Amino acid sequence: MDIGKPSRSYRMHQAQELLKHKFHQNVVKSLASKLGIPHLRSGNATIRDNRGWRIDESIEYCWLIGISKSFVGWCWLYSIKFNQNSFRKKSNPDELIQGIFTVDKEGKIGEFYQKHRPQDYVDKIRRLTSYDLFDANRGLTLDGIGYEYFVFAPNAEIKISLNNPNSENWKVWENEVWRVGRELSLNSGIQVSKELFA
């Protein structure tokens, strides 16, 4: 069956998706560099040097959320959990770091703030397990909020794009995202994040 030449609108959509994918890759790469780790991806994320030799602790998981709001701006939240381990002369405790940052149009980090969480801190976004994958938004909402949600775990690498989610389970997720975002933005001094989470 000959499907013919792709339409102009299809080619434009494809080009936009490729640009978005490259942008997201640049954001992930920029965050990894800022955190001093070689990469964020699924699988065993052991920190290695440029020769590939293991030099430090391993990563249990990371989530990364890009938030954009019409007529306000955008920023990113992240949470990364390092496992407790001892290697050579280093002994690392369990550590959870959360942060907020801005990026330029190329995906490079601009303003950046991070917070080391105490041992008893519960990462509720990590704990949430119920998602309506086919019914994130039933109806029309007009607040213009979009999310790019990335999860990096030992056996999974997940990307979900959401616009104005309003199903019950996604509202639980969104409320927690905004709680963490408000807290981090207040301490960050990043103006656009304060406006976004106001």
Side-chain angles (χ1 to χ4, degrees):
M1 179 175 156
D2 182 13
I3 58 173
K5 185 177 178 181
S7 68
R8 183 173 185 267
S9 64
Y10 176 80
R11 291 193 312 272
M12 288 175 59
H13 175 73
Q14 189 177 39
Q16 289 172 343
E17 287 299 307
L18 287 171
L19 286 173
K20 190 194 310 190
H21 180 68
K22 182 177 179 183
F23 174 75
H24 290 153
Q25 285 183 320
N26 288 343
V27 171
V28 171
K29 181 179 177 183
S30 189
L31 177 60
S33 177
K34 195 77 168 174
L35 295 172
I37 57 178
H39 57 75
L40 284 170
R41 62 181 184 213
S42 64
N44 187 12
T46 299
I47 299 173
R48 300 179 182 277
D49 65 14
N50 58 358
R51 297 168 293 184
W53 294 1
R54 178 180 169 195
I55 58 171
D56 208 348
E57 60 198 342
S58 62
I59 299 164
E60 182 178 326
Y61 71 86
C62 175
W63 57 253
L64 173 63
I65 303 170
I67 304 165
S68 62
K69 188 172 183 181
S70 296
F71 311 110
V72 178
W74 68 84
C75 70
W76 293 77
L77 299 176
Y78 76 90
S79 185
I80 187 165
K81 175 73 163 49
F82 294 98
N83 289 321
Q84 182 279 330
N85 80 327
S86 296
F87 183 70
R88 296 188 179 147
K89 295 183 179 180
K90 292 185 180 181
S91 181
N92 300 299
D94 278 341
E95 184 175 29
L96 178 68
I97 301 171
Q98 291 186 329
I100 190 168
F101 61 92
T102 61
V103 295
D104 65 15
K105 291 181 180 181
E106 300 299 317
K108 293 183 181 176
I109 290 179
E111 296 176 282
F112 184 82
Y113 172 78
Q114 70 179 15
K115 181 171 186 169
H116 294 257
R117 296 296 191 178
Q119 289 289 321
D120 61 349
Y121 182 85
V122 176
D123 185 351
K124 291 182 181 176
I125 293 173
R126 162 64 179 89
R127 296 271 178 103
L128 295 174
T129 58
S130 295
Y131 300 103
D132 297 321
L133 296 180
F134 296 94
D135 297 307
N137 183 335
R138 287 185 172 266
L140 182 64
T141 53
L142 302 174
D143 50 7
I145 299 175
Y147 301 94
E148 300 290 340
Y149 182 29
F150 298 83
V151 173
F152 303 95
N155 294 308
E157 187 171 321
I158 300 162
K159 176 188 175 254
I160 299 173
S161 295
L162 301 159
N163 289 310
N164 302 307
N166 61 19
S167 69
E168 184 177 342
N169 288 335
W170 280 113
K171 288 310 269 183
V172 171
W173 175 87
E174 185 178 43
N175 289 338
E176 185 59 21
V177 168
W178 281 75
R179 187 195 68 75
V180 172
R182 278 190 196 100
E183 179 209 340
L184 293 172
S185 68
L186 285 173
N187 296 317
S188 71
I190 300 173
Q191 188 59 35
V192 70
S193 73
K194 290 180 180 179
E195 293 170 4
L196 187 69
F197 290 106

